Amino acid sequence: MSSEDDDTRPQMVITGERTVPGIWHENYWFRRHEVVYESLRDRVRSARVLEAGCGEGYGADLLSRAAGSLFALDYDEYATGHVRTAYPDVPVVRGNLIALPYADASFDVVVSLQTIEHLWDQDGFVAECVRVLRPGGVLVVSTPNTLTFPPGNIYHPKELEPGELRDLVARHATVTSLVGLHHGPRVAAWEQDHGSLVDAQIATPYEEWPTAVAEVVRSVRTDDFVLREGDDADLAASLDLVVTAVRD
């Protein structure tokens, strides 16, 4: 049984700061995050991996099934305590994301998904992620695309456009790809009939969602999203951005 299907796992309190599994009205956001973790299985296979900013821990748990070894880190004491309880096989520490408690060249892969937008010192964070990578090691960072993300998230001091993310990471490592996450055919078809699914979710409290919105949110799976490279226009229209870079 996968971690996201384990109804006995303790759940974190929903604050709006992070996405958690196992809550039906969060399912769209959870699956939108989860698909990026799934795309990294081959990338981390048999590697020594750090997840910098692990949050609830479901992503670290998923990646640990493929990685040679995986270490999870988060600054939030509540989050790290939850990971220890919910995912006891995932080693997790509480630490500063801009002063990572690891030696230089400690990891083959550093993964940080949906974290950088929460940080004030984004440049310092990327520099630290690259520092702990071995030469030739891979950094993967994802973030919501500020051009399409709903405005006003109090937990995001700095959201990024595609070019900003690329330039930020390129100051410290060689960028090898920048891809955008988009709705797949099923959700896109639903939106043609009903309008934006994101807008529908934030328009009213979930208790007041129309039946059509509640049903589609419950039904969303990772295969309802696609990750693809594209030109500037395609990246600008993407929901989330994923940059991959290599330490020289």
Side-chain angles (χ1 to χ4, degrees):
M1 179 181 293
S2 65
S3 61
E4 62 268 24
D5 295 324
D6 183 1
D7 291 335
T8 66
R9 183 189 60 251
Q11 290 182 338
M12 293 188 76
V13 174
I14 295 291
T15 64
E17 183 174 7
R18 60 179 63 84
T19 299
V20 305
I23 298 176
W24 76 266
H25 54 88
E26 283 284 304
N27 184 56
Y28 167 85
W29 299 101
F30 169 64
R31 301 299 178 183
R32 179 166 150 178
H33 288 40
E34 184 186 35
V35 66
V36 182
Y37 283 105
E38 289 184 347
S39 76
L40 297 177
R41 282 195 180 106
D42 288 341
R43 174 73 69 184
V44 305
R45 198 167 303 282
S46 301
R48 180 177 170 88
V49 180
L50 170 66
E51 184 179 14
C54 64
E56 194 272 348
Y58 65 86
D61 180 59
L62 187 156
L63 294 179
S64 71
R65 300 165 191 267
S69 59
L70 182 138
F71 302 84
L73 178 141
D74 203 280
Y75 182 72
D76 185 73
E77 186 174 9
Y78 174 47
T80 55
H82 172 82
V83 173
R84 292 188 187 99
T85 301
Y87 309 101
D89 294 332
V90 174
V92 61
V93 298
R94 181 173 182 252
N96 190 336
L97 289 163
I98 58 170
L100 294 172
Y102 303 104
D104 295 357
S106 295
F107 298 98
D108 302 309
V109 181
V110 174
V111 173
S112 185
L113 306 188
Q114 305 291 323
T115 296
I116 196 168
E117 66 276 4
H118 294 262
L119 305 178
W120 290 101
D121 187 357
Q122 296 176 338
D123 191 73
F125 171 63
V126 175
E128 275 294 278
C129 289
V130 173
R131 178 186 66 79
V132 301
L133 277 173
R134 63 168 177 78
V138 175
L139 171 65
V140 182
V141 175
S142 79
T143 192
N145 180 7
T146 193
L147 297 174
T148 61
F149 197 73
N153 190 313
I154 62 172
Y155 299 105
H156 293 182
K158 172 61 176 173
E159 294 171 355
L160 298 164
E161 299 178 5
E164 290 178 311
L165 178 62
R166 181 193 291 113
D167 292 346
L168 172 63
V169 174
R171 289 200 287 270
H172 302 280
T174 300
V175 172
T176 57
S177 72
L178 177 62
V179 303
L181 181 142
H182 302 261
H183 288 151
R186 188 177 76 95
V187 174
W190 186 93
E191 290 185 311
Q192 286 188 342
D193 294 333
H194 300 277
S196 166
L197 179 54
V198 171
D199 289 349
Q201 291 178 85
I202 64 177
T204 61
Y206 73 89
E207 297 93 342
E208 300 174 14
W209 287 349
T211 299
V213 174
E215 287 179 346
V216 75
V217 167
R218 285 182 184 275
S219 72
V220 169
R221 294 293 180 263
T222 55
D223 59 7
D224 286 315
F225 300 94
V226 294
L227 287 159
R228 64 174 183 250
E229 295 190 78
D231 58 20
D232 289 347
D234 195 59
L235 287 171
S238 65
L239 302 164
D240 297 316
L241 304 164
V242 185
V243 65
T244 302
V246 176
R247 179 180 177 179
D248 298 328

